Amino acid sequence: MKEKQHPPRWAEKLLHWYCPVMVLEEIEGDLLENFYRTAETAGFAQARRDYVYEVLRFCNPVTFRKARTYSFSTYPPLNHSAMLRNFFLTAFRNLSKNKTYAAINVLGLALGIACCVAIFVLVRFETSFDDYHSKAEQVYRVNLNQQNADGMQLNGYNFYPLGEAMRAEVSGLEAVTSMHHNWSFQFKVGEQLYEGEHAFFVDSAYFDVFDGQWLAGNPDNAFDQPNTVVVTDQFAEKYLGGVDKAMDTTFLFDNKLTLKVNGILEAPPYNTDMPYSMLISYPSLPAYVPESVDNWEWVGWGATFFVLDQGLNTEQIDQQLDKMIHKYLPEETAKNTSFHLMHLGNNHDKNGNYNSFTYDFPLPLMIILSVMAGMIAFIACINFINLATAQSLTRAREVGIRKTMGSSRFQLILQYMSEAFVITCIAVIAGLALAKIPMRIMNADARRDYLNFDFFQQPSILLFLIGIVLLITLLAGFYPAFVLSGFVPVKALKGKISTGKPKGLNLRRGLVITQFFGAQILILITVIVIQQLNDLKERPLGFDAEAIIFSYIPDTTTNIKAFKQQLAQNSNIQNVTLGWGGASLNAQGITFYGDAGEDFKTQGVVHYGDEQYVQFFERELLAGSNFSEDQNNPLDEVIVNQSLIKALGIEKPEEAIGNVFTMDGKEVLVRGVIQDFYTQALSSKIDPLVVQYDPSKFKAVAVQVAPQHFAETIQLMEGMWERYFPEYLYNYQFLDEALDRQYSFLNNMIGLLEPFAFLAIFIGCMGLYGLISFMAVQRTKEVGIRKVLGASISQIIVMFTKESLLLIVIAFVIAAPAGYYMGQIFLMELPERIDPTVSIFILTLMASLTIALLTIYYRSFRAAIANPADALRYE
């Protein structure tokens, strides 16, 4: 043989020197085989180069260490990359071969992952509120606690002069800022009226506490003068012709202030409790809210924030604030008042019942959502295990062959874990796509793109996904991998697997019970919350809320009576009344007492209404008389309900007429008594009620309209509005929709629970399908024998279904008390909760059984109609 037709001698010597003798022959043989194969296709020169390359690649420090420590007692060194590549290739082939199994598994896991991702993104957003401020760790809000007859009242707003007093008298503060919040407002640019949200009156210290990105203007003096405003770039672009043209323009704010733009700010991010569209200078506030000037007895919509000096604690500030309470507040008020310092980081999700400027997202709700998402993912993992072990029966011979060929159990575990990994990765990709659906729905509902994920800008999302992949791979692949790798080769090759039928089936039964346990809990909670909501909505109002339209009116001194009279003359309008709001909307609290004196003060509510109030809201007048338009001293005579006269110690309505009691420090006379009606949206408690004829409090007009005349009546009212209130935009609301918004807490909860319950039962049914598949394969021969002996199709179906239905009943027995208890936890925020009826539990059980029966019938029917001859040849 010529020299050039042989591998290089020095390379052979290097291999002989380096390679352990026990594997030298095998490795050298493989290298020579590759050498001559390459020589045939690419020539000996290329073959020599490849040979040298392979030898040098083998002689690296890692293999050197392994080679020196190699012994006959261990397995030959593995080519891990090739092995893993082979595992993944096998995994893809198996998935491709069993498309239905793969689709069900991927879909189940994808749904669970989609829930986890959507909830993770939501929770991450809600817990990030205002954490972008550079001094966020030192910022606190001064909240107000006031004790009254109904208990401790918590308020996020505070006395307007508090900020200025803290700057002058409290030490240890780096900065203090005061603000006033307007949730909604209207403004006029030129001759065009618009509506806006979130205007804040702020002082010059605002940006010493909070961050903001200035695009134009001087932050040092932007808020020094009255009637100046800083707007966001979005506001400037939308209403003022753009950022370049907005400076020095003016607009009319709420028909009270003419504001000049002297600064442009970048709009704040979505994750803030101060989503301002404009910041108005604090010196403008006295002209807008005159009551705010040096007033220590009135709390409006003002708030105070401060930056605590580093190294100090809030207890040192508390002591100084306590002194201010007794210095500035009336003695009686000071005794029942205290301040609570709340960290900025708790303002959104851990603020108790203190007000915020936007909305609250309580931490318990985040925990509940996270637990439910985890339950869905866990149910999906159980589903994976069920389907994988059922499918494993068809792969018994594959396991037997692999073991016979020398594969270790560890390698088999790796193989089947890699299959779980592949399915999980595919499910993650599908789950990310599915997670976009709920996020888009929530973005559309909120009219902003606040929920999204970007792996590059939000690495926490990527870490979360990696964690999900690893966790679900372990959870979902661990048990199937150990079951499959545990098959005895001889029995596996004969089709007699050794999973141990009773034990394996018992575990699988337990998994199905666990799945339906979780699903039925979610169904029970959902139904309990729905029943609670229906119970509140179905309470008799006494009037038809669907037929009532109301509008808030801007002027309480002029035009309002003429506007009402014009409405009353229209034939489509059945009745008109003026008041402070709807029948039970915006009721104000009152404190009253009777002859027993101030020691027996009681809390109640007051509605403001005119002479149509009783008739309009169909209140039954039990005694006395209604209001009249020409009555003298209307403020001194009131109509009360039965609960109020009971609080005064009067038994009969007739005896109450003419009685005098003190309401908010002023004596009033009982003119009439009406029947009790519900006064609280979320409670059946009926408050003592006073109806007062006070035209200065009339803030809304309500009309009763036949449904077929809604459109033309609204058009008519809009035209009349332009005539009587040309400087104000016309808005209207249907009373039933306004009342329904009072149940937004329950509506939101149902909106979250329903999809979770659906997903849980859906994935659970897929798991049940897997169990029936397992049973059908396990009992193939039994089915054949039964059919040969005369069993009918229906008897075979019953044989499969009765056990599954029994498992669901067992799951329900466990889930029923747990669901009842958790349902009560979900409703714990409500002042009163329903006692779930037995029908809820019966309905849940029947629904579970029906859905499960529909799921397993198809698979049972297929097993029942199989040819007995094929079944008997099965083994």
Side-chain angles (χ1 to χ4, degrees):
M1 183 178 294
K2 295 180 180 179
E3 180 67 16
K4 291 185 180 180
Q5 295 179 351
H6 191 278
R9 298 295 181 190
W10 66 267
E12 288 183 320
K13 291 180 179 178
L14 176 62
L15 181 65
H16 282 224
W17 170 79
Y18 181 83
C19 187
V21 64
M22 66 284 295
V23 292
L24 174 61
E25 182 179 351
E26 181 181 352
I27 293 174
E28 189 174 33
D30 289 343
L31 290 177
L32 286 173
E33 187 178 341
N34 287 336
F35 174 83
Y36 290 114
R37 189 184 299 123
T38 304
E40 290 177 0
T41 57
F44 280 99
Q46 182 64 41
R48 288 165 63 84
R49 286 195 293 273
D50 288 354
Y51 187 92
V52 171
Y53 172 74
E54 292 296 333
V55 170
L56 292 178
R57 203 176 69 147
F58 179 71
C59 298
N60 60 68
V62 176
T63 53
F64 176 82
R65 186 178 71 246
K66 291 182 177 178
R68 296 299 99 187
T69 57
Y70 188 82
S71 69
F72 286 105
S73 60
T74 60
Y75 290 103
L78 300 175
N79 188 334
H80 295 287
S81 60
M83 181 184 70
L84 292 175
R85 187 167 59 249
N86 179 59
F87 286 166
F88 287 123
L89 184 62
T90 305
F92 278 112
R93 284 173 178 169
N94 282 324
L95 294 179
S96 176
K97 183 180 177 182
N98 303 287
K99 293 183 177 63
T100 303
Y101 154 76
I104 292 176
N105 243 338
V106 168
L107 179 60
L109 280 177
L111 290 172
I113 291 169
C115 288
C116 290
V117 171
I119 296 302
F120 176 81
V121 173
L122 176 64
V123 170
R124 184 181 177 281
F125 172 80
E126 299 294 350
T127 54
S128 68
F129 262 56
D130 287 312
D131 63 358
Y132 65 91
H133 297 293
S134 56
K135 299 177 182 177
E137 289 300 318
Q138 299 169 252
V139 177
Y140 290 83
R141 179 174 182 166
V142 185
N143 290 324
L144 182 64
N145 299 338
Q146 289 187 302
Q147 183 75 39
N148 60 28
D150 269 357
M152 184 65 75
Q153 303 299 308
L154 308 180
N155 200 341
Y157 298 103
N158 222 314
F159 305 106
Y160 283 93
L162 177 65
E164 189 61 35
M166 288 180 66
R167 268 190 288 270
E169 302 179 26
V170 178
S171 61
L173 304 182
E174 184 179 318
V176 180
T177 185
S178 301
M179 64 183 67
H180 168 89
H181 177 227
N182 258 37
W183 186 291
S184 62
F185 56 89
Q186 73 163 42
F187 59 99
K188 188 175 184 180
V189 181
E191 295 301 319
Q192 187 64 44
L193 284 170
Y194 300 99
E195 282 184 305
E197 289 185 342
H198 299 299
F200 287 78
F201 290 75
V202 300
D203 57 25
S204 55
Y206 180 83
F207 287 101
D208 294 333
V209 179
F210 301 107
D211 293 353
Q213 186 65 43
W214 285 80
L215 302 178
N218 184 354
D220 294 332
N221 58 15
F223 304 108
D224 291 346
Q225 300 300 320
N227 299 323
T228 58
V229 62
V230 176
V231 300
T232 64
D233 53 347
Q234 293 178 354
F235 185 91
E237 291 286 350
K238 191 172 183 180
Y239 301 111
L240 302 179
V243 174
D244 297 337
K245 300 178 181 177
M247 287 294 286
D248 297 326
T249 59
T250 60
F251 59 85
L252 185 63
F253 180 81
D254 261 354
N255 286 318
K256 292 181 179 178
L257 302 175
T258 299
L259 302 176
K260 180 182 178 182
V261 178
N262 66 347
I264 311 290
L265 280 168
E266 192 175 282
Y270 293 129
N271 58 337
T272 180
D273 191 44
M274 286 164 278
Y276 51 79
S277 58
M278 64 177 70
L279 298 177
I280 305 170
S281 63
Y282 209 69
S284 311
L285 187 60
Y288 186 73
V289 187
E291 303 90 337
S292 65
V293 180
D294 198 25
N295 190 342
W296 284 94
E297 298 185 13
W298 181 70
V299 176
W301 305 101
T304 305
F305 291 82
F306 67 86
V307 180
L308 184 66
D309 277 344
Q310 291 186 347
L312 296 183
N313 58 57
T314 55
E315 292 180 359
Q316 296 166 279
I317 309 302
D318 279 330
Q319 296 169 1
Q320 299 179 68
L321 290 177
D322 287 341
K323 294 178 181 176
M324 291 178 61
I325 290 174
H326 294 284
K327 179 178 179 180
Y328 290 105
L329 300 186
E331 183 179 355
E332 185 65 24
T333 306
K335 287 192 299 185
N336 300 314
T337 301
S338 62
F339 291 133
H340 170 72
L341 304 183
M342 184 173 69
H343 190 268
L344 182 63
N346 297 333
N347 194 38
H348 182 67
D349 51 6
K350 296 187 281 288
N351 66 0
N353 289 319
Y354 293 105
N355 316 76
S356 60
F357 297 136
T358 54
Y359 66 97
D360 301 335
F361 205 92
L363 183 62
L365 182 57
M366 294 188 203
I367 295 173
I368 289 170
L369 286 176
S370 302
V371 169
M372 286 196 295
M375 284 179 65
I376 297 296
F378 181 66
I379 290 173
C381 288
I382 292 176
N383 187 55
F384 182 97
I385 295 170
N386 260 341
L387 292 178
T389 49
Q391 186 67 20
S392 67
L393 299 177
T394 64
R395 301 181 61 183
R397 287 185 173 82
E398 175 191 337
V399 174
I401 292 171
R402 285 181 178 276
K403 283 197 166 185
T404 303
M405 297 297 291
S407 179
S408 68
R409 186 172 186 184
F410 175 71
Q411 289 172 318
L412 286 172
I413 290 173
L414 274 182
Q415 177 188 339
Y416 294 112
M417 289 295 285
S418 66
E419 289 187 14
F421 178 75
V422 169
I423 290 179
T424 305
C425 289
I426 297 174
V428 165
I429 296 172
L432 289 176
L434 290 174
K436 289 280 186 181
I437 297 175
M439 287 194 286
R440 284 182 179 175
I441 293 174
M442 287 188 277
N443 285 338
D445 288 343
R447 292 182 294 179
R448 54 181 180 166
D449 187 24
Y450 73 108
L451 292 181
N452 50 58
F453 50 81
D454 185 322
F455 297 139
F456 297 103
Q457 296 184 3
Q458 300 166 317
S460 60
I461 302 259
L462 185 60
L463 293 175
F464 175 73
L465 288 176
I466 293 174
I468 278 186
V469 169
L470 295 178
L471 180 64
I472 292 183
T473 298
L474 287 173
L475 287 176
F478 185 80
Y479 176 72
F482 275 83
V483 170
L484 293 169
S485 64
F487 290 169
V488 178
V490 176
K491 293 184 177 180
L493 288 171
K494 292 180 179 179
K496 298 178 179 180
I497 60 172
S498 59
T499 55
K501 175 181 172 182
K503 182 179 179 182
L505 196 55
N506 282 338
L507 176 60
R508 212 159 283 104
R509 285 169 176 162
L511 295 176
V512 170
I513 290 173
T514 304
Q515 280 185 307
F516 276 87
F517 167 73
Q520 287 174 339
I521 281 182
L522 288 174
I523 294 174
L524 281 170
I525 295 172
T526 305
V527 177
I528 289 173
V529 175
I530 290 175
Q531 190 183 41
Q532 175 76 56
L533 180 61
N534 290 337
D535 181 74
L536 293 172
K537 284 185 174 180
E538 290 172 0
R539 294 182 313 181
L541 293 172
F543 57 90
D544 185 7
E546 295 181 358
I548 295 177
I549 304 171
F550 73 97
S551 301
Y552 285 102
I553 49 181
D555 193 335
T556 60
T557 57
T558 61
N559 293 337
I560 186 169
K561 286 192 175 180
F563 181 62
K564 177 189 172 187
Q565 289 171 358
Q566 284 287 313
L567 290 173
Q569 291 173 8
N570 188 275
S571 58
N572 292 336
I573 297 176
Q574 300 166 350
N575 205 346
V576 187
T577 186
L578 297 171
W580 203 58
S584 59
L585 293 171
N586 301 323
Q588 283 190 321
I590 56 167
T591 303
F592 68 91
Y593 58 88
D595 295 336
E598 290 193 43
D599 292 340
F600 296 91
K601 283 183 179 177
T602 307
Q603 290 292 119
V605 296
V606 58
H607 286 182
Y608 298 101
D610 61 6
E611 64 275 12
Q612 268 78 40
Y613 176 90
V614 173
Q615 180 187 359
F616 190 93
F617 292 111
E618 302 178 34
R619 306 303 181 203
E620 183 180 354
L621 190 62
L622 301 176
S625 59
N626 192 9
F627 296 128
S628 67
E629 194 173 2
D630 55 351
Q631 71 182 67
N632 296 323
N633 301 319
L635 295 179
D636 297 337
E637 298 183 2
V638 297
I639 296 174
V640 301
N641 68 349
Q642 292 169 289
S643 295
L644 190 137
I645 64 172
K646 288 178 184 174
L648 294 176
I650 303 171
E651 294 185 358
K652 297 181 180 179
E654 295 80 8
E655 297 173 356
I657 306 303
N659 272 267
V660 175
F661 67 96
T662 303
M663 183 180 83
D664 287 342
K666 184 180 178 181
E667 290 189 343
V668 293
L669 181 141
V670 177
R671 178 186 177 94
V673 179
I674 57 176
Q675 195 170 32
D676 277 343
F677 59 91
Y678 294 110
T679 55
Q680 297 185 21
L682 300 177
S683 171
S684 58
K685 177 187 175 185
I686 298 176
D687 296 300
L689 172 79
V690 173
V691 183
Q692 191 171 33
Y693 192 142
D694 184 357
S696 68
K697 299 288 188 180
F698 292 163
K699 303 292 184 184
V701 58
V703 297
Q704 279 182 336
V705 184
Q708 64 270 24
H709 299 306
F710 276 154
E712 55 190 286
T713 304
I714 291 170
Q715 190 175 9
L716 167 78
M717 292 178 68
E718 189 170 6
M720 292 175 60
W721 186 275
E722 291 178 0
R723 190 191 320 162
Y724 287 95
F725 310 107
E727 297 299 319
Y728 295 88
L729 286 170
Y730 174 68
N731 286 306
Y732 66 91
Q733 299 180 53
F734 288 98
L735 185 57
D736 60 329
E737 294 177 355
L739 293 172
D740 195 55
R741 282 195 288 275
Q742 296 180 334
Y743 309 118
S744 58
F745 169 73
L746 291 173
N747 284 323
N748 292 338
M749 192 174 289
I750 291 172
L752 291 170
L753 283 169
E754 283 181 337
F756 278 118
F758 170 77
L759 288 176
I761 197 72
F762 178 73
I763 298 174
C765 285
M766 287 198 294
L768 194 60
Y769 182 87
L771 177 66
I772 297 301
S773 299
F774 177 82
M775 293 170 60
V777 175
Q778 283 280 72
R779 304 173 74 172
T780 299
K781 189 172 182 179
E782 178 186 343
V783 171
I785 294 173
R786 285 178 181 272
K787 292 190 71 173
V788 169
L789 294 177
S792 65
I793 293 177
S794 59
Q795 288 173 322
I796 299 297
I797 292 175
V798 169
M799 181 184 76
F800 282 111
T801 56
K802 67 179 182 182
E803 184 172 309
S804 301
L805 298 182
L806 177 62
L807 298 180
I808 293 172
V809 171
I810 294 173
F812 176 79
V813 170
I814 304 171
Y820 173 85
Y821 180 71
M822 293 182 69
Q824 297 299 302
I825 292 177
F826 266 68
L827 300 176
M828 64 187 300
E829 292 286 333
L830 302 180
E832 295 174 12
R833 297 177 291 277
I834 61 164
D835 195 11
T837 60
V838 177
S839 61
I840 288 179
F841 298 92
I842 296 176
L843 177 67
T844 302
L845 177 60
M846 296 306 296
S848 301
L849 292 174
T850 302
I851 294 171
L853 194 59
L854 292 174
T855 303
I856 60 182
Y857 178 80
Y858 169 72
R859 190 66 184 86
S860 303
F861 181 74
R862 282 186 56 190
I865 63 174
N867 187 339
D870 294 337
L872 292 175
R873 283 201 300 268
Y874 176 70
E875 295 182 352

